[in-house]
Amino acid sequence: MMAGNDRQTAIPAALELRDGVLSIAGDWTLPHYYRLQQLLARQAPPELISFAALGQLDTAGAMLLAEWFGLQALQARIEADRELPAERRELFAALIRVLSAAPEPSPARRAWLLQGLARLGLAVEQGGQQLLLLSGFVGQVQLALLSVLLRPSEWRLTALVSQIHKAGLNALPIVALLTFLVGAVIAFLGATVLSEFGAEIYTVNLVAYSFLREFGVLLAAILLAGRTASSFTAQIGAMQANEELDALQTLGLDPIKLLVIPRVIALAIALPLLTFVAMISGLVGGALVTRLALDIPLAQYL
């Protein structure tokens, strides 16, 4: 976008200060942008200005003048200069409208808040996408499970027994050991605190309530998720990477029914059993500590 006289020879841009009036002279166009920046950097904007000697003008030169004067000051000077040609007045007016409509940059002191909100929005969006994917997967599993239950010929008992062995029996030692140690620690801490009030006998209640209500199922679920579920994820992920799942679909087999359903049923069977073992192991650990530290007989503990 350019406004000016039809002259072929470029006139170097200049700023001439005479009797307190700054004269904008020469061509203010894009080819002279860098020189114009240096020229304006050495001169402060005056109160009085004249555009009578202005040669060619385009949006690049007008932008420099707008940034130098400021939008309001430039608009006031344009309105005061009656000799400015109409096409240049329209150019300045259009530029001022565009720059005035542009949003102002956020203050630096609020940048951290905006960045935090942006990160929060991104996290919420990613969480929503993951929730949609998880909901879709759960729906596929439920439909496949319903289809398998209605068709006994599709039951895969060998795979189910194998997964129960891996998810339940193989996890039994670590579940029993961890809950035994946690029960012993709870009993020891309870005895240390309750002995100050002469209420050592309530250590038994502490261990019993904690494991029968909370810790038994919680620790079993955490161990099962960390040990068995992660193993399932790694196995199916390796099959996906090796394109084995695509091969199953090519053969007309449903990977959900073949791989996911036996594991889901195995977890549903193994988790209650492991929870029961976790409760008993926690109670045994608490019984050992109360017998050794508080001298509570096993019969009284039971």
Side-chain angles (χ1 to χ4, degrees):
M1 182 175 183
M2 180 178 295
N5 298 328
D6 296 331
R7 290 181 289 182
Q8 300 297 329
T9 303
I11 302 176
L15 295 175
E16 300 176 358
L17 185 61
R18 296 178 182 177
D19 300 330
V21 179
L22 183 67
S23 177
I24 307 295
D27 295 337
W28 289 67
T29 56
L30 183 60
H32 310 293
Y33 189 83
Y34 180 69
R35 182 177 178 277
L36 293 175
Q37 280 186 320
Q38 295 179 329
L39 188 65
L40 294 178
R42 296 192 298 264
Q43 177 70 43
E47 293 295 330
L48 299 178
I49 186 173
S50 174
F51 293 99
L54 180 61
Q56 295 185 3
L57 178 68
D58 61 6
T59 52
M63 178 72 73
L64 285 175
L65 292 174
E67 293 177 352
W68 190 47
F69 285 109
L71 297 181
Q72 295 180 354
L74 179 61
Q75 186 173 6
R77 287 176 171 88
I78 292 173
E79 294 176 353
D81 191 350
R82 300 299 180 182
E83 298 180 357
L84 187 65
E87 65 272 13
R88 291 177 180 172
R89 191 182 302 275
E90 290 296 329
L91 175 60
F92 281 119
L95 185 63
I96 291 174
R97 286 196 301 270
V98 172
L99 294 179
S100 299
E104 297 182 358
S106 302
R109 58 188 178 85
R110 296 176 55 191
W112 63 272
L113 177 60
L114 297 178
Q115 293 175 359
L117 291 176
R119 288 194 295 268
L120 178 61
L122 181 60
V124 171
E125 181 183 3
Q126 294 176 349
Q129 294 176 353
Q130 293 296 326
L131 182 60
L132 290 177
L133 292 176
L134 179 61
S135 301
F137 176 73
V138 171
Q140 287 182 333
V141 171
Q142 290 177 343
L143 290 176
L145 183 60
L146 181 61
S147 176
V148 169
L149 292 178
L150 296 178
R151 298 176 182 176
S153 60
E154 296 184 359
W155 294 359
R156 301 184 180 276
L157 298 180
T158 303
L160 177 60
V161 173
S162 175
Q163 296 301 329
I164 291 176
H165 179 270
K166 294 178 182 179
L169 188 60
N170 291 349
L172 197 60
I174 184 65
V175 172
L177 176 61
L178 182 63
T179 51
F180 174 84
L181 296 176
V182 172
V185 169
I186 291 176
F188 180 77
L189 294 177
T192 302
V193 176
L194 294 175
S195 61
E196 299 180 2
F197 306 97
E200 298 90 341
I201 190 62
Y202 289 103
T203 303
V204 179
N205 300 63
L206 176 63
V207 176
Y209 284 137
S210 61
F211 271 89
L212 295 179
R213 290 185 177 181
E214 302 291 342
F215 283 165
V217 64
L218 185 62
L219 292 175
I222 291 175
L223 289 174
L224 208 61
R227 176 191 176 277
T228 307
S230 60
S231 175
F232 290 165
T233 304
Q235 292 173 0
I236 298 178
M239 296 178 68
Q240 174 69 27
N242 295 330
E243 299 182 354
E244 297 179 28
L245 300 183
D246 297 335
L248 291 176
Q249 292 178 340
T250 303
L251 295 175
L253 301 175
D254 187 0
I256 299 293
K257 295 180 181 179
L258 188 65
L259 301 175
V260 177
I261 296 301
R263 288 172 169 80
V264 170
I265 298 177
L267 290 177
I269 295 174
L271 184 57
L273 300 177
L274 291 176
T275 301
F276 177 76
V277 172
M279 293 177 180
I280 299 302
S281 298
L283 294 177
V284 171
L288 179 62
V289 171
T290 54
R291 181 67 182 88
L292 297 178
L294 303 178
D295 198 22
I296 297 178
L298 181 60
Q300 185 178 2
Y301 183 88
L302 294 176

